[in-house]
Every structure is written in structure tokens, then in C-alpha cells.
Amino acid sequence: MTAPNARERILPRMIHEEIKESFINYSMSVIVSRALPDVRDGLKPVHRRVLYAMNELGLVPGRPFKKCATVVGDVLGKYHPHGDSSVYDALVRMAQDFSLRYLLVDPQGNFGSIDGDSAAAYRYTEARLTRLAVEMLTDIDKNTVDFAPNFDDRLEEPRVLPAGAPNLLINGSSGIAVGMATNIPPHNLREVVDASIALIDNPDLDADALRRIVSGPDFPTGGYIYGRAGIADYQNTGRGRIVMRARAVIEERESSGKSQIVITEVPYQVNKAKLVKDIADLVRDGKLTGISALRDESDREGIRVVVELKRDAIPRVVLNQLYKHTAMQSTFGVIMLALVPDETGRLIPRVLSLKQVLEHYLKHRHEVIVRRTQFDLDKAVEREHILEGYKIAVDNIDEVIALIRAAEDTPTASAQLQARFGLSERQAEAILNMRLAKLTGLERDKLLEELAEVRAFIAELRSILDSRERRMDIMKGELLKVRETFGDERRTEIVSDEGEFSVEDLIAEEEMMVTISRQGYIKRTAVSLFNKQGRGGRGKIGADLKDGDFMEQMYVTSTHHYILIFTDDGRCYWLKVHELPQAGRTTRGKPIVNLINVTPDTRIRAIVPVREFRDDEYLLFGTKLGTVKKTALSQYSNVRANGVKAIKIEEGDELIDVQVTSGTSDVILGTRQGMSVRFHEQDVREMGRDTTGVKGVTLAEGDTVVGMVVIRRNEATLLVVTELGLGKCTSLDDYRIQKRGGKGILTLKRTERTGHIVALMEVSSDEEIMLITRGGISIRSSMSQVRVVGRNTQGVRFVSLDSGDMVTAVARVVPDDDKGEGGEGDTGDNGDVDTTPDGELGLNA
């Protein structure tokens, strides 16, 4: 015969089919045999093999430690055909008290640190099992779990451990497979056991009832969990987002009068040394302010990182900045993915809720109890059988001895005993191997007692197998014993999230005047520091500024408001008012580049205080060249660190103002040369963030827009203020509604005495305004002292200016109970301190 053609021996197969099948096989191998834990014992194969090998080596509590090299070598040679680092890394993690909530390996030597230090080589370290690990392995020799051949079929290894403790929940797990990942947080053992027992008593228990028992994760490093929404999500669906925060306390140092923040616990899986380095880098780069020194004083007793604050720093604001900019606040993304056996015993990856995890664990423990009981029953029945044979032999001892003596050999004696007394082969064999000491009277009594005990034990075991209720009671008893032996108090405290509680809740809500200089210095000052004066007074010195700098913008808001910061290039940034540096009137403030991610030459054009980002409110933008744009406020609710594009600014144009509107108001644009136009806001269609807008007013040559007023009260008047300190109020009825884009009408008679217009504002007679000048002088006056006049007038004097000085900004303040007197004011911080009641605040000019 001729050899078959080589082409005939090749099986045709499409390459994409081969790749697909091979990749699926590889994926399932990684998923089942490497990366994901079993829902029953919470262990991956490598961890299970390490614990089983250590148990086989006799490394149990009370026995001497052995080198980790022994364990690693044994696991590699018998069960785990992979690299030694995978085995040793798994062993090390089970011995780290900052990685596992309840240790499974008792370490001796250097097993790494929370600073990221790696463990010593396995030839230097030693280990043995903890008592909890022994609990995980208890009864493994009683046919409680299935075994499978190892990689070379020489030995057998367990497919799963009996798991006397709910390890998947109490220690958690993390791993990345192919196309899926798991990230299960650790929990408190007492809570998990209590939930398991509650589920045994009432299998119909719902998720809310379980959540009242298992309040949430309990991390080995302690700290805080902020918010319960993420806990409810993962307990209900298997997926959720947990916000973790470091535990920090504020300590006052009486000797120096300074404060310090002491960090005693860090979030789970956060490297402490890297955290300290990141804080130092942020302080060095100017991203964190108010910190003068940083020390890591941690030792064997625990973590202690000291952050010393400057004398003028607000401790809670600095703490909030640390949470915001560093890993002191981290997120744990929960994915409760584990391998679940189906009806055939095949492991399938599933995302599970808390109740489903507990149900699978209880089902496994029930099966362990059944198999253990059956194993004990089989052994007891076998022992009873042997004891019954002994009893027959003792009752007929003379005849038995004679029969044995007469037999030619052992097989003959065995056959004759079976035939004469009706014994089984095993009974006959046991009688032939019986010692003569068993024939004494005392031994005979013991034999009968043991037989009675064995029969009672058999009856007990059979009643257990016949009653599910008995088995559940046994399970509850074993779980309670585990709870009593290994349970402890929670380490992680769960507190309300920022929506319910935050650092700002500890900061008093009060009116603040936020000022920004032309060179970018920002500060907030309590409005109560400015006592009210009559119009025409000299005012107070508001800030000690550098040469060439002057106060350019001023806004009055509350410490609990958000502020949206809009820059001249049309970008938007997000801050809280209480995060701004607080200072007195004569203090310059801090560079705004330290608070938001902008370049030093960026100019702030508008600050919009908002309480919440509503869908039915809008931001109305106005530019120097008369462009207006309307965008939904909700589009600015999640501003990134580097800001977002708020409006597209054309070349040569600048953003001058941004205001919150209802979408149905009238708008007045006022120009520098005294013109104004009033139109319906509906004439401006809603646009997206990165758009230019539409024309709001047609400007004369050399003219620019200086103010935008959103009319909110028909009974109010329009305040117009000029750069030389004059101002007037005019009825809004004097401004007829026109089409958007027109040239407008006259709003103030300009002369050399008035100068150009600098601001327009909607006011009423019971309100107050605050003016600020280029030289830093500020004055607070009541609108009741200003009479209403026509459009084509000059107005009255609000402030007496020094030569060369001029008004640069105006803001509205809710009036307080102190009516005040006109006069010269003062030039320092020694004036009367006025307070203002709570109320709706006026926004920027």
C-alpha cells in the first residue's frame, strides 16, 4: 500500500473558528481556574491550594512555624503548576492584616506593610494556619467536599473547602478575568453570621431586612464609608460604588495657637506612603493651601500622619481639600462576581446580590452537614457491625476458640465462623484479629457499653438526616460558635454622604462678600464687618492691595452656596464658597490659581452662586460686544477639575456677566456710553455649552456693554452707577420692551461729572448696595436714601472719591436692622460689627 497523501491527513478548519474556540477555552480556564473565587468558600484555586497544603504539612495553631519556602515548594510540586511568585503572593496576602479583615495565615517575619513595602523572600519568612483557616478546613476528611485529580493525576485536591466561616463576605475578593472582574469588599463577621442565621429562620427575608443586619463593608484599615446609597445598590444588585474616607481628627495646639489634622486610618487599599507624598506634592505645587508642615509619625501602634496648619487656615476647609484632592477619599467599586455551581456541578460566573451569596453559602454548608452526617453514619454502622460480631464471639467464646484451634489456616477459620454463627467476612476477620484481653469481664462490659453508645449515635445521625430542621439547628449552632470565637466590633464607620452630611454642615451659614482683584486675588469676608453708612460718606478701606492692583469684582453670597467661576476665555469652574480663603477687609486674599486650574494671566469675569442645579433654570451670558446666550443650568452640575467650555468667545470679545434665570424674564443690557435695551428672554433660544450666542444689542462705535440685568420684580427700579461715584434709580416702566439686537434708548445723561457707566442693577427701596473702588474703598448704602428719577438724569453722589479713584464694582446686600448714620466711616477693622438676617442674596452687577 502506498502512504496516504499528506494533504488528506490535514483537517480543514477556518482560522477564525480555531481562534474563537481557543480563546474561549483560555477564557474559561482563567475564569474558573485562576481569577474568580468560589461563592461557597470565597477562595480562588491558588488560595485554596495553599491552605490545603499547609494543613497537610501540619502547620496548624499550636505547632511550630515552618519556612514559607516549604509551603511554596509543596504547593508548586503537588497542586499549582505556575510560578512561585503567584503562590507566595497569595500566601502573603492572607497574612497581611491591612489586606484581609480576618487572617487565614499566621505570619512570622516581614510580610510587607501598608506603605507598599514588599514581603521578604520566602526563604526568610515563616507561617502557619490561623484558627479561622482551620475552621475553613474542618471535616475535610469526612467526604464533605468533592476532590479532583491534581495536574499530573498523582494526587487529589479539594474542589472547594467545607468553609465553616462565610469567607467570601468576611474577607472579600478581587480579581480580573477575561472580559469580567470581581471586587467584593470585606464585611464584619458578626453581622454576616447574624444575617445568615436570620435567613435560616426566615428564607423570605428581603434585602432591606438584611441591610439592617449587614450595615455595609467593614474594611481592615477602618476609616469611614460616606453614604448608604452605594451599599444598598450592591446588596440589591451585586454592583455599587462605595466612597471611603480616611479617619482624621483636628487637634488644637495650645502652645502655638495653631491647629493640626491627624490622620489615624486610611481607606482600604490606599498606600500610606504614597498618600503622604501626594499631599506634599500638592502643597509644593500650590494646589493645597493652609498647610505648613507634614510628618508621618506612624509606628507599630498604628497610623499617625500629622498635617500642621498655618495660623490663618480653616481646619475643616483644609480637611475638605485633602478629601477632594488626595486618596484620603477613594472609591471602592463593588462587583459581587463569583463562581456558582449549576445542577451539573459546573462552575458558572454570576453577579450576585448579598442575599444570593448568603443563600449559596448556606446551601453549601447544608450539603457539608449532610455529607458529614452520612459519613459519620456509615462509620458508626460499620462499627456497630463489628461490635455485634464481637458480642457473638464473646457470648460463644469457648466454641469460637475450639473452632479456631481446629482450623487448618486463617481462611478456613474465617469460613467456619461465618457458617457457624452467621457472621460476615468483616466480622469474622475482626474476631480473628481480636486480642485475648477482650475476653476479660471488664472488657466485655465496655464492649456492651460501646455497642449501646454506637446504636444511640446511629439513631441520632439518622434523625438528623431525616429532619431538615435538625440540620438547620446544627448549622445555626456552628455559626454562632464561629461568631463567638472570631467575631469582633466594626472597624469602619458608616456615615451619611455629602448629600446628607458634609464638612460644610459644620460651618455656620452666613453672608459673605467675595471679592476679586484685577491681578487675581480672591477672598471672602463676612458682610457683617461692613457697617452701614449714609450716601456721600467716605466708606472703609477694604483691602491692602499691591501697587497697580485694584478690586475689580464683588459678589455677596452664602458660605453654603456653590459658586460657578467663569473666566474671560469662556470656561467654567466649580467651588464651594466656604472653600475660599476667609480674610478681613484689609487682607489681599489668595491667588485664585491656587483654587482652580487656571493660568496666572486668566481673568475672572463672573461668579454665580447657586444652591442646586435645577433643570428648569438657565444661565444667561452677556459679552462686552453685546452677545447673549442661554444654556440650561443643569449642564454645569459636574464641572471637571480643568473646567468645561461654557461659551465660545469671538476674537476681540469678552465675557462680562453670567446670571441665573427662569427662562421667562425680561433682560436689560446697559452700555458704557449710557444706552440700554430691554427685551424678552424668550427671544434668546436655549443653546449648548460650546456655542457663541446671538446679538443682544447693537453698539455704537467705541461703546461696550457694561452690565446685564435680569428683571425679577416689576415693582423694582433700575439702579445705574457711574465710575465717578454717581448713581440713580429709574422706574422699569421707563424702559419699553424692544426687539433683541436693537440700539436701545438712553438710560443716563453722561457728563464729565458722571463719567462712564460701570454697573446696572435691579433694586428696591428696602435694599442696600455695596460699592467698591479701584483703590479698595468700600461703602454700604441703603436704596431708601435714593429717590426715583427719570432716565435722562445724572443722579446723586454715592461715594466721595479721592483724586484718580473710581468705582469698579457694585453688589446688592439684604439690609439689616441697624439703620446706620452717614459719615466719614473708618479706615480699619475697629468699626461696629453689623449682622444681617438670612434671606435671598443679590448677585453680581
Side-chain angles (χ1 to χ4, degrees):
M1 295 180 63
T2 59
N5 191 299
R7 185 180 297 275
E8 296 176 357
R9 296 198 301 267
I10 299 176
L11 298 177
R13 184 172 175 83
M14 299 299 292
I15 188 169
H16 70 274
E17 294 179 359
E18 178 67 27
I19 292 175
K20 179 180 179 181
E21 183 176 327
S22 299
F23 185 75
I24 290 175
N25 292 336
Y26 164 74
S27 301
M28 290 307 298
S29 175
V30 172
I31 290 169
V32 176
S33 303
R34 188 181 306 175
L36 300 183
D38 193 300
V39 70
R40 296 168 291 181
D41 62 5
L43 298 172
K44 300 177 186 178
V46 63
H47 299 96
R48 188 179 302 116
R49 288 164 177 168
V50 168
L51 296 181
Y52 181 67
M54 293 179 71
N55 187 60
E56 293 292 290
L57 288 170
L59 297 179
V60 296
R63 300 283 295 276
F65 290 89
K66 278 192 178 180
K67 291 284 187 183
C68 291
T70 303
V71 178
V72 173
D74 208 53
V75 173
L76 290 177
K78 293 181 178 180
Y79 310 115
H80 199 70
H82 300 280
D84 58 347
S85 62
S86 64
V87 177
Y88 187 51
D89 289 347
L91 187 152
V92 166
R93 187 176 184 277
M94 290 190 289
Q96 292 176 333
D97 58 4
F98 53 87
S99 295
L100 256 64
R101 181 64 176 85
Y102 300 93
L103 297 184
L104 298 176
V105 172
D106 187 7
Q108 184 164 277
N110 175 17
F111 276 77
S113 72
I114 198 171
D115 289 330
D117 301 317
S118 58
Y122 50 63
R123 62 182 177 272
Y124 300 120
T125 57
E126 298 179 338
R128 64 185 177 190
L129 297 175
T130 62
R131 290 189 300 158
L132 181 62
V134 172
E135 191 69 32
M136 294 287 295
L137 290 153
T138 298
D139 297 329
I140 197 171
D141 56 346
K142 291 188 175 183
N143 193 33
T144 52
V145 294
D146 293 333
F147 279 70
N150 70 338
F151 60 88
D152 60 1
D153 292 335
R154 291 185 302 111
L155 304 167
E156 287 194 331
E157 59 175 318
R159 291 181 179 271
V160 66
L161 298 187
N167 181 65
L168 181 63
L169 287 175
I170 64 174
N171 276 326
S173 183
S174 64
I176 300 175
V178 178
M180 60 186 69
T182 185
N183 202 29
I184 303 173
H187 296 76
N188 185 269
L189 187 145
R190 289 180 179 175
E191 293 181 359
V192 174
V193 169
D194 289 344
S196 301
I197 293 174
L199 203 56
I200 292 173
D201 293 335
N202 182 12
D204 297 327
L205 216 59
D206 60 14
D208 291 337
L210 285 176
R211 190 157 51 253
R212 286 192 287 270
I213 303 173
V214 182
S215 53
D218 188 22
F219 298 111
T221 54
Y224 295 103
I225 292 176
Y226 253 57
R228 295 176 172 84
I231 296 174
D233 288 341
Y234 88 78
Q235 291 188 356
N236 291 340
T237 67
R239 295 177 182 270
R241 179 176 175 271
I242 304 298
V243 178
M244 306 175 293
R245 277 192 169 185
R247 184 181 295 273
V249 296
I250 297 173
E251 296 180 355
E252 303 291 339
R253 300 178 62 184
E254 296 181 0
S255 57
S256 61
K258 296 182 179 180
S259 301
Q260 61 185 24
I261 297 172
V262 180
I263 304 167
T264 57
E265 296 173 359
V266 299
Y268 184 49
Q269 296 176 335
V270 167
N271 185 314
K272 176 175 65 66
K274 186 177 183 303
L275 172 64
V276 174
K277 181 179 181 299
D278 289 344
I279 294 174
D281 291 342
L282 289 170
V283 173
R284 190 179 303 112
D285 296 340
K287 299 295 179 62
L288 287 178
T289 59
I291 297 175
S292 61
L294 178 65
R295 298 189 307 277
D296 187 355
E297 300 178 355
S298 306
D299 55 20
R300 292 180 180 272
E301 301 300 320
I303 294 174
R304 181 178 170 85
V305 176
V306 179
V307 181
E308 289 193 6
L309 306 181
K310 296 178 181 178
R311 192 180 301 275
D312 61 342
I314 303 173
R316 296 198 179 278
V317 172
V318 176
L319 180 59
N320 221 23
Q321 291 178 340
L322 289 171
Y323 283 139
K324 180 177 180 181
H325 297 293
T326 72
M328 283 181 63
Q329 176 171 308
S330 303
T331 301
F332 189 98
V334 180
I335 307 175
M336 302 267 282
L337 180 69
L339 298 174
V340 179
D342 60 10
E343 293 77 6
T344 65
R346 187 178 55 163
L347 296 176
I348 306 296
R350 295 276 169 79
V351 176
L352 306 169
S353 66
L354 174 66
K355 182 177 180 180
Q356 289 172 327
V357 173
L358 291 172
E359 286 174 340
H360 284 294
Y361 173 72
L362 295 177
K363 180 180 178 182
H364 172 61
R365 284 302 298 169
H366 179 262
E367 182 180 351
V368 167
I369 292 173
V370 170
R371 294 180 62 162
R372 180 185 67 197
T373 305
Q374 186 62 54
F375 179 86
D376 290 339
L377 177 61
D378 293 342
K379 290 291 185 182
V381 169
E382 181 181 347
R383 181 60 179 168
E384 179 192 32
H385 186 60
I386 298 300
L387 291 174
E388 287 175 343
Y390 283 159
K391 183 177 182 299
I392 292 173
V394 171
D395 291 342
N396 302 276
I397 189 61
D398 294 335
E399 188 176 354
V400 168
I401 292 174
L403 189 149
I404 293 173
R405 291 183 61 185
E408 294 181 356
D409 52 26
T410 300
T412 302
S414 177
Q416 290 177 353
L417 286 173
Q418 294 175 46
R420 172 66 184 83
F421 299 107
L423 302 176
S424 68
E425 184 178 353
R426 295 198 62 183
Q427 287 176 322
E429 182 181 353
I431 292 171
L432 291 172
N433 293 327
M434 186 173 61
R435 296 169 56 197
L436 292 177
K438 292 287 186 182
L439 301 179
T440 64
L442 183 60
E443 287 295 326
R444 291 175 64 187
D445 293 339
K446 288 183 179 180
L447 177 64
L448 295 175
E449 289 177 6
E450 184 181 356
L451 181 58
E453 291 175 358
V454 168
R455 285 174 174 169
F457 185 52
I458 290 173
E460 174 73 10
L461 295 175
R462 283 176 174 159
S463 69
I464 292 173
L465 292 175
D466 292 339
S467 172
R468 179 179 177 84
E469 185 177 352
R470 290 283 314 273
R471 297 194 294 272
M472 289 300 162
D473 287 340
I474 291 172
M475 190 189 306
K476 287 167 59 177
E478 292 175 350
L479 287 172
L480 287 172
K481 183 179 178 181
V482 169
R483 183 188 190 279
E484 181 181 351
T485 305
F486 304 106
D488 57 3
E489 297 295 329
R490 283 190 66 88
R491 297 182 187 176
T492 303
E493 184 178 349
I494 301 174
V495 297
S496 302
D497 63 15
E498 292 186 340
E500 301 163 327
F501 173 83
S502 65
V503 173
E504 73 176 35
D505 292 323
L506 303 176
I507 297 176
E509 182 166 8
E510 59 179 323
E511 280 186 328
M512 288 287 167
M513 184 176 74
V514 178
T515 56
I516 305 173
S517 74
R518 176 168 290 274
Q519 294 185 4
Y521 285 85
I522 189 171
K523 68 173 181 176
R524 61 183 173 100
T525 306
V527 172
S528 58
L529 293 180
F530 298 88
N531 58 317
K532 183 169 51 185
Q533 300 175 16
R535 64 177 179 86
R538 290 282 298 171
K540 295 183 179 181
I541 293 179
D544 182 14
L545 300 169
K546 291 183 176 180
D547 291 340
D549 196 11
F550 61 91
M551 286 299 176
E552 186 177 44
Q553 298 180 64
M554 176 179 65
Y555 309 88
V556 178
T557 181
S558 163
T559 51
H560 285 199
H561 275 74
Y562 301 99
I563 57 172
L564 298 180
I565 302 175
F566 297 89
T567 58
D568 56 356
D569 59 354
R571 297 192 71 80
C572 175
Y573 299 84
W574 188 96
L575 276 177
K576 288 288 189 71
V577 173
H578 67 76
E579 293 175 337
L580 301 176
Q582 183 172 4
R585 291 196 311 271
T586 60
T587 304
R588 182 169 60 245
K590 298 288 180 66
I592 199 168
V593 293
N594 291 345
L595 303 176
I596 59 176
N597 189 19
V598 295
T599 58
D601 58 346
T602 300
R603 295 180 64 189
I604 306 303
R605 287 303 184 183
I607 290 181
V608 177
V610 294
R611 173 71 71 174
E612 56 185 347
F613 297 88
R614 296 164 54 112
D615 293 330
D616 58 349
E617 292 186 332
Y618 301 88
L619 287 179
L620 187 66
F621 297 79
T623 72
K624 182 176 71 172
L625 297 184
T627 298
V628 291
K629 191 190 84 162
K630 183 171 68 175
T631 306
L633 178 60
S634 58
Q635 292 197 31
Y636 300 87
S637 61
N638 189 22
V639 178
R640 296 184 291 271
N642 59 346
V644 295
K645 194 70 174 177
I647 181 174
K648 185 181 293 184
I649 301 295
E650 298 289 346
E651 184 176 356
D653 202 358
E654 292 180 6
L655 180 67
I656 62 163
D657 196 8
V658 184
Q659 292 200 39
V660 177
T661 71
S662 63
T664 59
S665 304
D666 287 350
V667 180
I668 295 180
L669 295 179
T671 74
R672 187 168 182 267
Q673 294 180 3
M675 301 298 291
S676 65
V677 60
R678 176 178 178 176
F679 56 87
H680 288 306
E681 186 184 346
Q682 291 94 324
D683 292 346
V684 183
R685 70 180 187 276
E686 182 182 345
M687 303 179 183
R689 285 193 287 105
D690 194 10
T691 54
T692 303
V694 295
K695 179 178 286 190
V697 61
T698 298
L699 299 172
E701 184 177 357
D703 200 3
T704 58
V705 175
V706 295
M708 179 177 69
V709 175
V710 176
I711 299 175
R712 307 178 195 276
R713 297 164 295 174
N714 291 328
E715 69 278 5
T717 58
L718 184 68
L719 171 69
V720 180
V721 180
T722 70
E723 60 188 3
L724 296 184
L726 273 72
K728 65 170 182 129
C729 289
T730 304
S731 172
L732 291 173
D733 294 335
D734 289 358
Y735 296 86
R736 69 179 185 273
I737 297 176
Q738 302 172 269
K739 286 293 184 180
R740 170 183 59 80
K743 291 184 178 180
I745 58 178
L746 193 68
T747 189
L748 182 135
K749 183 179 179 181
R750 280 191 310 121
T751 64
E752 293 183 358
R753 177 172 174 265
T754 63
H756 294 296
I757 294 176
V758 295
L760 295 89
M761 181 182 299
E762 179 193 47
V763 297
S764 60
S765 60
D766 59 350
E767 292 181 323
E768 300 170 4
I769 64 166
M770 188 174 292
L771 285 75
I772 197 163
T773 73
R774 182 190 298 270
I777 299 296
S778 59
I779 186 169
R780 179 175 171 180
S781 299
S782 173
M783 289 294 94
S784 62
Q785 299 176 331
V786 183
R787 63 187 179 90
V788 178
V789 296
R791 288 188 292 105
N792 192 16
T793 55
Q794 296 183 11
V796 296
R797 184 166 299 283
F798 276 90
V799 59
S800 298
L801 300 173
D802 294 332
S803 177
D805 199 4
M806 63 177 57
V807 176
T808 59
V810 182
R812 177 171 50 239
V813 182
V814 177
D816 55 27
D817 295 333
D818 180 10
K819 300 302 181 185
E821 300 293 340
E824 291 293 316
D826 61 37
T827 58
D829 281 336
N830 298 322
D832 297 334
V833 176
D834 297 332
T835 59
T836 52
D838 293 335
E840 183 179 355
L841 301 174
L843 304 182
N844 51 300

